[in-house]
Amino acid sequence: MSDEEDDIILAELSDDELVLQMHDDLYDGMKEEIEEGVNILLGRKWQPYRVLTEALVAGMTIVGNDFRDGILFVPEVLLAAGAMKGGMETLKPLLIESGAPRMGKMVIGTVKGDIHDIGKNLVGMMMEGAGFEVIDLGINNPVEDYLEALSREDADILGMSALLTTTMPYMKVVIDTMIEQGIREDYIVLVGGAPLNEEFGKAIGADSYCRDAAVAVETAKGFMANKHNQLPAG
């Protein structure tokens, strides 16, 4: 490639070209370029929500699909998610200000006794990349932390992660407590982590087991679409 082709001046691209270039830059994890692209589009009077959906979410959808299909791997997805985060730092306050619609809100955390967080972090980043607002509680969360955050944040989804077989049963403690308090039906509960499987998810009463971050995003989108539509059966 010649130097000429190498140096793309983002500000000289048309809107359509810039959006496509941002998809490429997200894919390559280029944070500074994403931040610049976001600012250029805002400077061209794009609404923050349009920048989010057309430039960032659409780009992260490509990343998510290729991750699901085994074309991209965790390190590359983390880079892409980091670039997305850079763009979101500019957009977040503007989106709140403009009262833009949101995909949904998720509280996520690793369960009590477990300090593994790479998978959870990846799910959180991919969910943000899909337009969800994510409240990350970190690691080692007792049931009280989850319930308090769900209530405080007016969340739609609870995501729980575990990497140890010894901490997996704690997910049931959280779900059982939600049932006891009469709030289980108010939230979508997604669980994940290496030792889990679909049977375990069903057995503890979760809405769904998600084997990886890409599946978690697709599952959450499906549940939220149903929640918004509430279409009668048949």
Side-chain angles (χ1 to χ4, degrees), residues 130-145:
F132 284 84
E133 194 178 337
V134 177
I135 312 301
D136 189 340
L137 303 181
I139 57 172
N140 194 24
N141 287 286
V143 62
E144 296 80 14
D145 288 8

Side-chain angles (χ1 to χ4, degrees), residues 63-91:
V63 171
N65 289 343
D66 280 4
F67 175 56
R68 180 196 63 208
D69 296 340
I71 297 162
L72 285 180
F73 299 97
V74 170
E76 295 143 314
V77 176
L78 288 173
L79 272 176
M84 164 93 186
K85 226 166 193 156
M88 282 303 292
E89 276 165 25
T90 302
L91 285 178

Side-chain angles (χ1 to χ4, degrees), residues 143 168-180 204:
V143 62
M168 284 165 54
Y170 196 78
M171 292 177 169
K172 187 173 188 310
V173 172
V174 176
I175 292 171
D176 285 350
T177 306
M178 292 171 79
I179 293 167
E180 280 164 27
I204 63 169

Side-chain angles (χ1 to χ4, degrees), residues 3-19 21 36-37 39-41 44:
D3 289 345
E4 206 181 318
E5 286 173 317
D6 248 346
D7 297 326
I8 295 166
I9 312 293
L10 296 180
E12 291 177 1
L13 300 176
S14 70
D15 288 5
D16 288 349
E17 290 168 336
L18 178 55
V19 165
Q21 184 59 45
E36 187 186 343
N39 284 315
I40 291 168
L41 289 174
R44 293 179 185 178

Side-chain angles (χ1 to χ4, degrees), residues 78-105:
L78 288 173
L79 272 176
M84 164 93 186
K85 226 166 193 156
M88 282 303 292
E89 276 165 25
T90 302
L91 285 178
K92 220 171 227 174
L94 300 174
L95 288 164
I96 292 165
E97 214 175 275
S98 65
R102 60 177 200 194
M103 183 71 77
K105 199 175 204 182

Side-chain angles (χ1 to χ4, degrees), residues 43-222:
R44 293 179 185 178
K45 303 289 182 257
W46 274 47
Q47 291 300 314
Y49 186 68
R50 188 180 173 200
V51 179
L52 171 70
T53 51
E54 292 185 28
L56 299 186
V57 172
M60 282 303 286
T61 301
I62 300 165
V63 171
N65 289 343
D66 280 4
F67 175 56
R68 180 196 63 208
D69 296 340
I71 297 162
L72 285 180
F73 299 97
V74 170
E76 295 143 314
V77 176
L78 288 173
L79 272 176
M84 164 93 186
K85 226 166 193 156
M88 282 303 292
E89 276 165 25
T90 302
L91 285 178
K92 220 171 227 174
L94 300 174
L95 288 164
I96 292 165
E97 214 175 275
S98 65
R102 60 177 200 194
M103 183 71 77
K105 199 175 204 182
M106 180 187 211
V107 165
I108 190 170
T110 306
V111 295
K112 187 177 176 183
D114 207 314
I115 57 167
H116 296 88
D117 67 355
I118 291 175
K120 170 197 56 78
N121 292 350
L122 191 55
V123 170
M125 286 173 168
M126 294 284 284
M127 292 290 287
E128 282 192 333
F132 284 84
E133 194 178 337
V134 177
I135 312 301
D136 189 340
L137 303 181
I139 57 172
N140 194 24
N141 287 286
V143 62
E144 296 80 14
D145 288 8
Y146 288 119
L147 301 191
E148 195 270 326
L150 287 171
S151 168
R152 180 186 72 235
E153 299 292 342
D154 189 23
D156 304 293
I157 302 170
L158 170 61
M160 291 187 284
S161 165
L163 199 79
L164 304 171
T165 50
T166 50
T167 58
M168 284 165 54
Y170 196 78
M171 292 177 169
K172 187 173 188 310
V173 172
V174 176
I175 292 171
D176 285 350
T177 306
M178 292 171 79
I179 293 167
E180 280 164 27
Q181 295 190 7
I183 59 169
R184 173 64 188 88
E185 296 308 312
D186 300 341
Y187 304 101
I188 296 153
V189 179
L190 307 181
V191 296
L196 278 68
N197 57 34
E198 210 167 316
E199 286 68 35
F200 177 79
K202 280 182 188 151
I204 63 169
D207 287 298
S208 191
Y209 152 74
C210 305
R211 73 170 184 274
D212 61 33
V215 171
V217 169
E218 284 178 14
T219 306
K221 278 183 175 174

